[in-house]
Each structure stands twice: as structure tokens, then as C-alpha cells.
Amino acid sequence: MKTRTGLLTAAVLVVGIAAGPSVLPAAASAPAASTAAQSPNPALEAAIAGLPSADATAALVRVGGKEGVWHGSSGVHDLRTGRPADPAARFRAGSVTKVFTAAVALQLAEEGRLDLDRSARSYLPDLIPPSYEDVTVRQLLNHTHGIPAPDFPGTTVEEWYANRFRVHDPRNMVRSATSKKPEFAPGERQHYLNIGYTITGLLIERVTHDSYERQVARRVLRPLGLRNTYAPGANPRIAGPHNHGYQTMRLDDGTTGLRDVSVWGATDGWAAGDIVSTTADLERFTNALFRGRIVRGPLLEEMFTLPEVTDFRTGKPAAHSAGLSMKVLGGREVWGKTGGRWGYNAAIASTRNGSRTLVYSVNSTDAKGQDMNRTAEALMVAAYGRP
């Protein structure tokens, strides 16, 4: 199936900038896009030029493969100083985490420790109730499980910000979700949600008798030398150099503007969305994954197989596989994953044969909005062509 997937972000009007109680004007310094590349690419340069803007304060990009290599960065490290963005900075990768989680689960399937056709409840009978006894491991990975999202406190970005240091236990999230009625019968529809990967993280822990974080490190991070990628746990800060993230919201004085949201806990994402990384690490990970160095043989094909169902909300063909999603750009299939945490959007993408890869971090001013971020969209089009 050939379908399209969305990039989570939105264009907003910047009125002010807040980092604590103070408010600053939006006219921070805007250095031109900088490149360090073997091949010039005017389209990619144009895609990240002019930052900071209303949509994004910084962008870091790496394009690779046989079609040419290009590295670029634009924007600022932070809006207070206007320093140029650090191209080697760490950032929150959001739902790109799901690719790591799926890879570990598929490795365990290859070892015979997880059966993709076995019910999740058979592994976690103490957590998953009989009402979800037919949900399989494969359905968790490809979002066809029918389990609704758990409840979280707050309904607005301001309320979520007030709860940004709350620590969420994955088991409690699963209990909240599975206490509700199924959205649909398992395997009948697709609804992209985090909860399937929260359960997958717990499955990994159950069958390995180890923590999810240690399994990802042992199976993926250390073998690939991804030294700048890690799971933050309950620590709300990004360790090491990072460009600040900002979110448009109502400020303390009642105006609407940008607040520095670089410090924000990610325990609500956990195995579905908490990883911190760099563009260099994610590029290495993408290359290794698509070349079969992480998941091998038939199980790798699970990541490139879309279920033959329709989307629960839109009725369009399913767009998500085990860990990845697919979009047709420039007349060819592009596989990858986007992610959004407050202040940060990220993506990995590649043609199936690895001829062109793309990794980016965009410091979006509405990273979890419903519309496509203009900078991220421009990068995808510049790298692969239009839908």
C-alpha cells in the first residue's frame, strides 16, 4: 500500500518569548543556514534558511546515500543569546523511539523469546485484562490492537506544562488504557497511539528479566557506537549540549508567546517516545537498520509491511508498519519515522535501498500541533520530492 504520513508541527504567530518570568521580543538574531557538505544542495539550504521564524528556532539536517551527502544547520542555540545552533546538539527524538523499541522486539522474536502471533496477555496476564486477550504482539507493533490511549492530567498545553515534572508509571498507563472499551476489534483497523509501544516495552522487560533501557543499550546503542543516544528516565533535562526548545502558549502575564520548554519530563512517552539523540547517531542507526544490521531477514520485512486495514479516524489505507511508516514522495516509497516532544521535532527517513537518507531535528514552536511544520515539510520535499 502506498499512503502518506503526517509530520507533527504547526505554524504559529510568535508574540513573545518566555523562559521563566521574563518576556523578550521575538526578533532574535537569525544566522543564515550553514552547511558542511560534500555536495551543495540549494533546495536543502533554502529549506532551513531564515531561522528562527514563527515556526522553528533551529534546524539540524543530515542527508546521505548514493544520491549525495549534505549536512546543514540553521537558527539559534537559544533565543536569549542568539548564538548559532550547535549542529552536534542532542535533542528529544520523540516517537523515533518506537523504531528502537520495535527493533529490540523483533530481535527477541528472532531469538524465539517473543512470538509475534502470541497474545500480549499471555506474557502479561497480571496487567492485560481478558477484554484484550486477543491482542497479539504484532498488533501492538503495527497499531492494529484497538487499545485506546490512557488518561493524562490536563487538556491544554498550559496544563501539560504545569504537569511537566510528573512521573508516569508505564504499568499505570496500561491499566488506564485497558480499563476502557476497545476502539475496534484487534486487527480490524489501525490507530497510531503510544500505548502499543508502552506495552511492548513491558513485554521486553518481562521476557528478558531486564530493564527496557538496558536492552536497548545492549542490543542497539553499544553495538552501533551511538554514544550520544540515551533514555533519560525520570530526568527532565537533556544531558550534554542541546539547542533550546520553545513552545507557543499563554504566558504568565496573559499574553501568548514562546516559553522555553527544554526541561520537560518524558516518562509519559517511555518506550514509545523518550529517547534523546543527535542527527549523527540517528543517521548511523538508520543506515544500519535499512542494511539489515539490527534486524535481519524475514523479521526485518515486518518493518516494511503495512497491514491491510484502514485508519480508524480517516478511513485511508494503513500507513504504519512495525516501527516505521511509509509515504510516497517524488514517486517512490520513503520509509521512516517522525517524532515530536515539546520544543523538538525529529525524523529519520530512507528509500528502501538506502539510496537517500534524511535525518533532521527541527526546534518547532508547536511540536505536537496538528498541522505540518513548514521547515520539516520543506526538508522532506527538498530531500525526496513532493507527494
Side-chain angles (χ1 to χ4, degrees):
M1 298 181 189
K2 297 182 179 180
T3 55
R4 300 178 182 178
T5 58
L7 300 172
L8 296 176
T9 46
V12 292
L13 175 64
V14 178
V15 177
I17 304 160
S22 60
V23 178
L24 299 177
S29 61
S34 62
T35 62
Q38 287 84 339
S39 304
N41 193 311
L44 287 166
E45 292 179 21
I48 63 172
L51 301 184
S53 68
D55 303 290
T57 58
L60 314 177
V61 189
R62 296 177 74 93
V63 173
K66 298 177 182 177
E67 297 178 14
V69 174
W70 188 89
H71 303 165
S73 65
S74 183
V76 294
H77 168 267
D78 67 281
L79 290 169
R80 285 187 175 277
T81 68
R83 288 165 44 199
D86 178 0
R90 292 176 176 176
F91 52 83
R92 302 190 190 280
S95 286
V96 175
T97 304
K98 292 181 176 69
V99 192
F100 289 80
T101 303
V104 171
L106 292 172
Q107 283 187 6
L108 291 169
E110 182 181 19
E111 296 165 10
R113 302 170 76 178
L114 269 181
D115 184 340
L116 299 185
D117 293 314
R118 185 175 165 184
S119 73
R121 187 170 190 267
S122 68
Y123 294 100
L124 298 168
D126 52 322
L127 186 61
I128 298 177
S131 55
Y132 289 99
E133 64 183 354
D134 294 330
V135 172
T136 66
V137 176
R138 179 181 283 106
Q139 290 163 350
L140 294 176
L141 293 175
N142 66 19
H143 304 282
T144 61
H145 47 75
I147 303 173
D151 293 325
F152 292 104
T155 57
T156 66
V157 63
E158 291 82 11
E159 291 171 336
W160 295 324
Y161 178 76
N163 284 286
R164 66 194 182 280
F165 299 134
R166 182 183 290 244
V167 175
H168 301 271
D169 179 84
R171 291 164 184 80
N172 288 339
M173 290 191 285
V174 174
R175 292 187 185 100
S176 172
T178 57
S179 68
K180 306 175 188 180
K181 294 181 179 180
E183 293 184 324
F184 48 82
E188 294 295 318
R189 299 282 185 89
Q190 183 174 80
H191 189 185
Y192 177 84
L193 291 171
N194 282 350
I195 189 62
Y197 278 76
T198 303
I199 298 173
T200 301
L202 293 171
L203 286 176
I204 291 169
E205 293 194 332
R206 180 62 57 90
V207 302
T208 63
H209 305 288
D210 194 10
S211 73
Y212 160 79
E213 293 83 358
R214 281 193 293 267
Q215 283 295 304
V216 172
R218 184 175 76 81
R219 293 172 174 272
V220 181
L221 305 187
R222 287 200 292 271
L224 295 182
L226 306 183
R227 296 180 179 85
N228 288 302
T229 302
Y230 73 98
N235 189 342
R237 298 183 178 276
I238 300 174
H242 59 279
N243 300 316
H244 287 227
Y246 298 86
Q247 169 65 35
T248 298
M249 66 175 74
R250 188 177 63 254
L251 305 179
D252 296 339
D253 62 1
T255 63
T256 298
L258 292 180
R259 187 182 293 278
D260 190 326
V261 292
S262 308
V263 180
W264 193 314
T267 56
D268 61 317
W270 193 52
D274 73 349
I275 273 181
V276 172
S277 191
T278 64
T279 55
D281 270 13
L282 289 183
E283 183 178 58
R284 180 178 293 186
F285 171 70
T286 302
N287 287 331
L289 181 71
F290 279 65
R291 292 172 182 172
R293 292 178 51 204
I294 303 174
V295 181
R296 297 173 178 83
L299 287 166
L300 178 60
E301 291 307 308
E302 293 282 340
M303 306 188 83
F304 298 100
T305 302
L306 299 178
E308 296 183 358
V309 298
T310 57
D311 185 271
F312 175 63
R313 295 164 298 178
T314 67
K316 296 180 179 180
H320 304 279
S321 63
L324 299 176
S325 56
M326 192 275 288
K327 186 170 184 174
V328 176
L329 295 172
R332 56 183 172 175
E333 292 184 357
V334 177
W335 293 84
K337 190 71 193 74
T338 59
R341 293 295 306 181
W342 302 107
Y344 300 89
N345 277 135
I348 64 172
S350 179
T351 52
R352 182 66 178 86
N353 63 4
S355 60
R356 167 145 291 195
T357 62
L358 168 68
V359 175
Y360 69 69
S361 167
V362 173
N363 292 55
S364 170
T365 56
D366 193 13
K368 296 178 78 67
Q370 295 301 309
D371 298 323
M372 186 177 295
N373 176 270
R374 294 178 183 177
T375 300
E377 178 185 17
L379 284 168
M380 295 294 285
V381 170
Y384 295 108
R386 295 191 175 278

